[in-house]
Amino acid sequence: MSNANIFRQLSAEQRRAVMHGEGPILVTAGPGSGKTHVLTSRILYLIQEKQIPPDRILVITFTREAARAMQSRFFSLREAFPIPLEAQSGQVSFGTFHSFFYQILRSSERYPHCRILNETEKQKLIYPLLKEIKSRQTDETARYFDSVSADEINRILSAISYGKNTGKESEPGQLLQEPWRSAYVELRQGYERLKKQRRQLDLDDLLTLTFRELQQDGELLGYWRSRYTYVLMDEFQDCNPVQYEIMKMLYTVKGNVFAVGDDDQAIYGFRGAQPGIMQRFLEEYEGAASVVLGKNYRCAPAVVEASAKVIACNRQRVDKRLESARTESSGSVQLRGFSGGREQRQYVLSQCQGLPAQELNRFAVLFRTNSLLGAFAAELMQAQIPFVIREPVSSIYGHFAVRDVMDYFRAAYGSRERQIFLRIWNRPRLHIGREALEEPTVDLERVRQFYCQEAYRSPAAVRDVEQFARKLEQLRRFPLELGITFIRRGFGYEEYLHRKAGQNRELLENWLEILDWLAQDSRAHPAFGEWERYQNDAQARFLQESTSTKPQKKGIHVMTMHAAKGLEFDRVFLMDINEGTVPKRKRGEPVREELLEEERRLLYVGMTRARNSLEILYQTGTRERPRQPSAFLQPLWTQQPKVPG
């Protein structure tokens, strides 16, 4: 079968990439440029036209889902253009970096049997180390520390992971807040010691250990160098330094390396990925060919033009011409301002109301972070709008700040459960200890008398109990929304959150935003008991919705911009595109150009998920608390006027 019959539908640039001969090549593939089709066509070309045995071809990407999707696309193409029987020796290998490195380690003498920890097991392993360090804090510091939170555990594990992926294991502690920054080396060493005792590895060990084994074992390196003669790497811009060095060891500068990526979509800096990896490839792989796929077959011209204006402001990028392959004039980009987050979300709800699930399935709502995904999901459920969430998100009503507020209300409305009081008396901490709470139910007068006894006399504790009882009486008389404000200010809960967040202003802002949302949510409920029942029902429904694996499930897609990468929708809403959110940065921290550029790339990824309609939403705030749209939108203001919400 001739090349003309197989590849006639490819563009000139796509053909250049697919029909590349020997040696390395870098394919810069913009959004919607047919990257997957180019990769699968390249495999077919190697087998049919170059007579390369399929089992000598390795295709690597970053997730199992992407690897399976690539394999499925290749099988479909192979069915359309059958491979001759004489060329069907073995199968093409599709996998992830981690699965490939796992094969290498298993083939070595040192790691024939290694068990990989999952995320839950990693968290359980490091938890006692963090707990022990917290127990050593001074009394003044420890006053505002609860038990170790899931957020703290994940931040430590992320720092350890970042160190392994960049080859700089001692540096990531600088990314942490105290007390973890000072204790980072101790934590990392303790974590590695526990894994070694249990003969366990984490996914990041697959990188570091593979790198070490290939350096030290020439026979192992020689075997894997000869195992595959052609390697195709997808999403190359997400390759971190350790992965890159391993691949360079295996597939030298003269090797048949087909690297496909887009530096404008490099959004995983927190995993150690660097957009400069593509330029590094061209510099280090001597004589490497280069092809740019800048024609977007997905997005309408208006979307391509707007997103190209935004990303052009980045300096660290391969220069490329981005244009839409679609010739029709349909498609739109709109900028819409709203006074607050609730008004913004209500607008999206109004656009979805009454539409069938099948049509909503072509819509997506994208957030910068997942802090309010649960809140928006709760509003969708309340409005009876079907939705799909495919990333781990908890119900907003299960958030610790929501639970704390509800516990204050429960105490005000008569609950005397010991566990409730143990929590709210420590948020913020009062001069009341467990010694006064021996019974399963709490009698405030008995607690007051306890601290009047000679053996436990504490005027401060007596004062705290009396004030707390008076405040509970006041709280019961307030409407729910005003009661939340009283909990935040009158009980000092907001001060507790400030202390708990420490220097992490970003975390504090997330918590305060959730409390703002909770106050707005309370308006729909006339009484506390009804609101509590609604929350319990909503949590149960959210669990059912979010864990549903029914393939036919349809609805509007709600996700973060990171999770949306690689997907496409007819209509996309980008939420909260404001300074401080996009770009996301912490107060008081210096603005680093590389972080700003990654944030701009993330916005670009979000924009280019839209096939036809893109709506960029931002908050204007109030006269007392004004908010600014993201500076990243500046190139678009001359393109069109702002559209009020």
Side-chain angles (χ1 to χ4, degrees), residues 281-332:
F281 181 93
L282 290 176
E283 293 170 355
E284 296 182 357
Y285 277 78
E286 185 180 350
S290 178
V291 175
V292 176
L293 307 179
K295 191 165 286 189
N296 189 321
Y297 297 88
R298 172 199 304 153
C299 304
V303 176
V304 174
E305 181 185 355
S307 58
K309 285 185 175 181
V310 169
I311 199 61
C313 297
N314 272 10
R315 296 179 182 178
Q316 189 177 11
R317 63 189 294 263
V318 175
D319 188 33
K320 59 186 77 73
R321 181 182 178 187
L322 301 169
E323 58 183 350
S324 176
R326 293 169 51 178
T327 56
E328 77 276 14
S329 59
S330 63
S332 65

Side-chain angles (χ1 to χ4, degrees), residues 517-529:
W517 177 87
L518 188 64
Q520 295 168 349
D521 185 64
S522 69
R523 297 173 189 171
H525 306 277
F528 173 72

Side-chain angles (χ1 to χ4, degrees), residues 588-600:
E589 285 194 351
V591 178
R592 303 206 324 254
E593 188 64 26
E594 60 267 29
L595 291 181
L596 281 180
E597 293 212 348
E598 178 160 329
E599 289 289 305
R600 190 180 280 111

Side-chain angles (χ1 to χ4, degrees), residues 342 378 382 397 406 479-481 517-535 538 541:
R342 182 176 179 82
Q382 196 169 33
Y397 295 120
M406 297 303 288
L480 293 176
E481 185 176 5
W517 177 87
L518 188 64
Q520 295 168 349
D521 185 64
S522 69
R523 297 173 189 171
H525 306 277
F528 173 72
E530 185 271 334
W531 191 28
E532 186 177 30
R533 287 190 296 275
Y534 173 82
Q535 289 189 20
R541 281 187 288 133

